[in-house]
Coordinates of all heavy atoms in Angstrom, one line a residue:
L20 N 6.0 18.6 -5.9 CA 6.7 19.7 -5.3 C 8.0 19.9 -6.0 O 8.7 19.0 -6.5 CB 6.9 19.4 -3.8 CG 5.7 19.1 -2.9 CD1 6.1 18.8 -1.5 CD2 4.8 20.3 -2.9
L21 N 8.5 21.2 -5.9 CA 9.7 21.5 -6.5 C 10.7 21.9 -5.4 O 10.4 22.8 -4.6 CB 9.5 22.7 -7.5 CG 10.8 23.3 -8.2 CD1 11.4 22.2 -9.1 CD2 10.5 24.6 -8.9
D22 N 11.9 21.3 -5.4 CA 12.9 21.6 -4.4 C 14.2 21.7 -5.1 O 14.3 21.7 -6.3 CB 12.9 20.6 -3.2 CG 13.1 19.2 -3.7 OD1 13.7 19.0 -4.8 OD2 12.8 18.3 -2.9
A23 N 15.3 21.8 -4.3 CA 16.6 21.9 -4.9 C 17.1 20.8 -5.8 O 17.9 21.0 -6.6 CB 17.7 22.1 -3.7
E24 N 16.5 19.6 -5.5 CA 16.9 18.4 -6.3 C 15.9 18.2 -7.5 O 16.1 17.2 -8.2 CB 16.9 17.2 -5.4 CG 17.9 17.3 -4.3 CD 17.9 16.1 -3.4 OE1 17.1 15.2 -3.6 OE2 18.7 16.1 -2.4
G25 N 15.0 19.1 -7.7 CA 14.0 18.9 -8.8 C 12.6 18.7 -8.3 O 12.2 19.3 -7.3
T26 N 11.8 18.0 -9.1 CA 10.4 17.7 -8.7 C 10.3 16.4 -8.0 O 11.0 15.4 -8.3 CB 9.5 17.8 -9.9 OG1 10.0 16.8 -10.8 CG2 9.5 19.1 -10.5
R27 N 9.4 16.3 -7.0 CA 9.2 15.1 -6.3 C 7.7 15.0 -6.0 O 7.1 16.0 -5.7 CB 10.0 14.9 -5.1 CG 9.8 16.0 -4.0 CD 10.7 15.8 -2.8 NE 10.6 16.9 -1.9 CZ 9.6 16.9 -0.9 NH1 8.8 15.8 -0.8 NH2 9.5 17.9 -0.1
W28 N 7.1 13.8 -5.9 CA 5.7 13.6 -5.6 C 5.6 13.5 -4.0 O 6.4 12.8 -3.4 CB 5.2 12.4 -6.2 CG 3.8 12.0 -5.7 CD1 3.4 11.2 -4.8 CD2 2.6 12.7 -6.2 NE1 2.0 11.2 -4.7 CE2 1.5 12.1 -5.5 CE3 2.3 13.6 -7.2 CZ2 0.2 12.4 -5.8 CZ3 1.0 14.0 -7.4 CH2 -0.1 13.4 -6.7
Q29 N 4.6 14.2 -3.5 CA 4.3 14.1 -2.1 C 2.9 13.6 -1.9 O 2.0 14.3 -2.3 CB 4.5 15.5 -1.4 CG 4.1 15.4 0.1 CD 4.5 16.7 0.8 OE1 5.7 17.0 1.0 NE2 3.5 17.4 1.2
D30 N 2.8 12.5 -1.2 CA 1.4 11.9 -1.0 C 0.6 12.9 -0.1 O 1.1 13.5 0.8 CB 1.5 10.6 -0.2 CG 1.8 9.4 -1.1 OD1 1.6 9.5 -2.3 OD2 2.3 8.4 -0.6
G31 N -0.7 13.0 -0.4 CA -1.6 13.7 0.4 C -2.0 12.7 1.6 O -1.6 11.6 1.6
P32 N -2.8 13.2 2.5 CA -3.1 12.4 3.7 C -3.8 11.1 3.4 O -3.6 10.1 4.0 CB -3.9 13.3 4.6 CG -4.4 14.4 3.7 CD -3.3 14.6 2.7
L33 N -4.7 11.1 2.4 CA -5.5 9.9 2.1 C -4.6 8.9 1.4 O -4.6 7.7 1.7 CB -6.6 10.3 1.1 CG -7.5 9.1 0.7 CD1 -8.2 8.4 1.9 CD2 -8.6 9.6 -0.3
A34 N -3.7 9.4 0.5 CA -2.8 8.5 -0.2 C -1.8 7.9 0.8 O -1.4 6.7 0.8 CB -2.0 9.2 -1.3
L35 N -1.3 8.7 1.8 CA -0.4 8.3 2.8 C -1.0 7.2 3.6 O -0.3 6.1 3.8 CB 0.0 9.5 3.7 CG 1.0 9.2 4.8 CD1 2.4 9.0 4.3 CD2 1.0 10.4 5.8
A36 N -2.2 7.4 4.0 CA -2.8 6.4 4.9 C -3.1 5.1 4.1 O -2.9 4.0 4.6 CB -4.2 6.9 5.4
A37 N -3.5 5.2 2.8 CA -3.8 4.0 2.0 C -2.5 3.2 1.7 O -2.5 2.0 1.7 CB -4.5 4.4 0.7
R38 N -1.5 3.9 1.5 CA -0.2 3.3 1.1 C 0.4 2.6 2.2 O 1.0 1.5 2.1 CB 0.8 4.4 0.5 CG 2.0 3.8 -0.1 CD 3.0 4.9 -0.5 NE 2.5 5.9 -1.4 CZ 2.5 5.7 -2.7 NH1 2.9 4.6 -3.3 NH2 2.0 6.7 -3.5
H39 N 0.4 3.1 3.4 CA 1.1 2.6 4.6 C 0.3 1.9 5.7 O 0.8 1.4 6.6 CB 2.0 3.7 5.2 CG 3.0 4.3 4.3 ND1 4.1 3.6 3.9 CD2 3.0 5.5 3.6 CE1 4.8 4.3 3.0 NE2 4.2 5.5 2.9
G40 N -1.1 2.0 5.5 CA -1.9 1.2 6.4 C -2.3 1.9 7.7 O -2.3 1.3 8.8
A41 N -2.8 3.2 7.5 CA -3.3 3.9 8.7 C -4.9 3.9 8.5 O -5.4 3.6 7.5 CB -2.8 5.3 8.7
I42 N -5.5 4.4 9.6 CA -6.9 4.7 9.5 C -7.0 6.2 9.1 O -6.3 7.0 9.7 CB -7.6 4.6 10.9 CG1 -7.6 3.1 11.3 CG2 -9.0 5.1 10.8 CD1 -8.1 2.9 12.7
C43 N -7.7 6.5 8.0 CA -7.8 7.9 7.6 C -9.2 8.4 8.0 O -10.2 7.8 7.7 CB -7.7 7.9 6.0 SG -7.7 9.7 5.4
Y44 N -9.2 9.5 8.7 CA -10.4 10.1 9.2 C -10.7 11.4 8.5 O -10.0 12.3 8.7 CB -10.3 10.2 10.7 CG -11.5 10.9 11.4 CD1 -12.8 10.5 11.1 CD2 -11.3 12.0 12.3 CE1 -13.9 11.1 11.7 CE2 -12.4 12.6 12.9 CZ -13.7 12.1 12.6 OH -14.7 12.7 13.2
L45 N -11.8 11.4 7.7 CA -12.2 12.6 7.0 C -13.3 13.3 7.9 O -14.5 12.9 7.8 CB -12.7 12.3 5.6 CG -11.7 11.6 4.7 CD1 -12.3 11.3 3.4 CD2 -10.4 12.3 4.6
D46 N -12.9 14.3 8.7 CA -13.8 14.9 9.6 C -14.7 16.0 8.8 O -14.1 16.8 8.1 CB -13.0 15.6 10.7 CG -13.9 16.2 11.8 OD1 -15.0 15.8 11.9 OD2 -13.3 17.0 12.6
E47 N -16.0 15.9 9.0 CA -17.0 16.7 8.3 C -16.8 16.6 6.8 O -16.6 17.6 6.0 CB -16.8 18.2 8.7 CG -17.2 18.4 10.2 CD -18.7 18.1 10.5 OE1 -19.5 18.0 9.5 OE2 -19.1 17.9 11.7
I48 N -16.8 15.4 6.3 CA -16.6 15.1 4.9 C -17.5 15.9 4.0 O -17.2 16.2 2.8 CB -16.7 13.6 4.6 CG1 -16.3 13.3 3.2 CG2 -18.0 13.1 4.9 CD1 -16.2 11.8 2.8
V49 N -18.7 16.2 4.4 CA -19.7 16.9 3.6 C -19.3 18.3 3.2 O -19.8 18.8 2.2 CB -21.1 16.9 4.4 CG1 -21.0 17.9 5.5 CG2 -22.2 17.2 3.4
E50 N -18.3 18.8 3.9 CA -17.8 20.2 3.6 C -16.9 20.2 2.5 O -16.6 21.3 1.9 CB -17.2 20.8 4.9 CG -18.1 20.9 6.1 CD -19.2 21.9 5.8 OE1 -19.1 22.8 5.0 OE2 -20.3 21.8 6.5
A51 N -16.3 19.1 2.1 CA -15.3 19.0 1.0 C -15.9 19.3 -0.3 O -17.1 19.1 -0.5 CB -14.5 17.7 1.1
R52 N -15.1 19.6 -1.3 CA -15.6 19.9 -2.6 C -16.0 18.5 -3.3 O -15.5 17.5 -2.9 CB -14.5 20.5 -3.5 CG -14.2 22.0 -3.0 CD -13.3 22.7 -4.0 NE -13.0 24.0 -3.6 CZ -12.3 24.9 -4.3 NH1 -11.7 24.5 -5.5 NH2 -12.1 26.1 -3.9
P53 N -16.9 18.6 -4.3 CA -17.4 17.4 -4.9 C -16.3 16.5 -5.5 O -16.3 15.3 -5.4 CB -18.3 17.9 -6.0 CG -18.8 19.2 -5.5 CD -17.6 19.8 -4.7
D54 N -15.2 17.1 -6.1 CA -14.1 16.3 -6.6 C -13.4 15.5 -5.5 O -12.9 14.4 -5.8 CB -13.2 17.1 -7.4 CG -12.4 18.1 -6.6 OD1 -13.0 18.9 -5.8 OD2 -11.1 18.1 -6.7
A55 N -13.3 16.1 -4.3 CA -12.7 15.3 -3.2 C -13.5 14.1 -2.8 O -13.0 13.1 -2.5 CB -12.5 16.3 -2.0
L56 N -14.9 14.3 -2.8 CA -15.7 13.2 -2.4 C -15.6 12.1 -3.4 O -15.6 10.9 -3.1 CB -17.2 13.7 -2.4 CG -17.5 14.8 -1.3 CD1 -18.9 15.2 -1.4 CD2 -17.1 14.3 0.1
V57 N -15.6 12.4 -4.7 CA -15.5 11.4 -5.8 C -14.2 10.6 -5.7 O -14.1 9.4 -5.9 CB -15.6 12.0 -7.2 CG1 -15.4 11.0 -8.3 CG2 -17.1 12.6 -7.3
A58 N -13.1 11.3 -5.2 CA -11.8 10.7 -5.2 C -11.7 9.6 -4.2 O -10.9 8.7 -4.4 CB -10.7 11.8 -4.8
V59 N -12.6 9.6 -3.2 CA -12.5 8.5 -2.2 C -13.3 7.2 -2.6 O -13.1 6.2 -2.1 CB -13.1 8.9 -0.8 CG1 -12.4 10.2 -0.3 CG2 -14.6 9.1 -0.8
H60 N -14.1 7.3 -3.7 CA -15.0 6.2 -4.1 C -14.2 4.9 -4.4 O -14.7 3.9 -3.9 CB -15.8 6.6 -5.3 CG -16.9 7.6 -4.9 ND1 -17.9 8.0 -5.9 CD2 -17.3 8.2 -3.8 CE1 -18.7 8.8 -5.3 NE2 -18.4 8.9 -4.0
P61 N -13.1 5.0 -5.1 CA -12.4 3.7 -5.4 C -11.9 3.0 -4.1 O -11.6 1.8 -4.2 CB -11.3 4.1 -6.3 CG -11.7 5.4 -6.9 CD -12.4 6.1 -5.8
L62 N -11.7 3.7 -3.0 CA -11.3 3.1 -1.8 C -12.4 2.5 -1.0 O -12.2 1.8 0.0 CB -10.5 4.1 -0.9 CG -9.1 4.4 -1.3 CD1 -8.6 5.6 -0.5 CD2 -8.2 3.2 -1.2

């Protein structure tokens, strides 16, 4: 993201949950694009 202080990384919901220890719930996962499905495989 770009803001007044420059660029900064913002975690998406899956990264946020994995980093801090939440349960991540992907509701109707079958509707997501193929690249999104592949992204969850390493977890």
Side-chain angles (χ1 to χ4, degrees):
L20 299 179
L21 179 64
D22 58 23
E24 298 180 359
T26 57
R27 62 182 177 84
W28 174 261
Q29 178 172 290
D30 279 342
L33 181 60
L35 179 72
R38 190 187 301 276
H39 298 287
I42 296 173
C43 185
Y44 176 48
L45 304 180
D46 188 15
E47 294 297 343
I48 187 175
V49 72
E50 299 296 334
R52 291 187 179 184
D54 66 307
L56 298 179
V57 173
V59 308
H60 286 185
L62 283 171

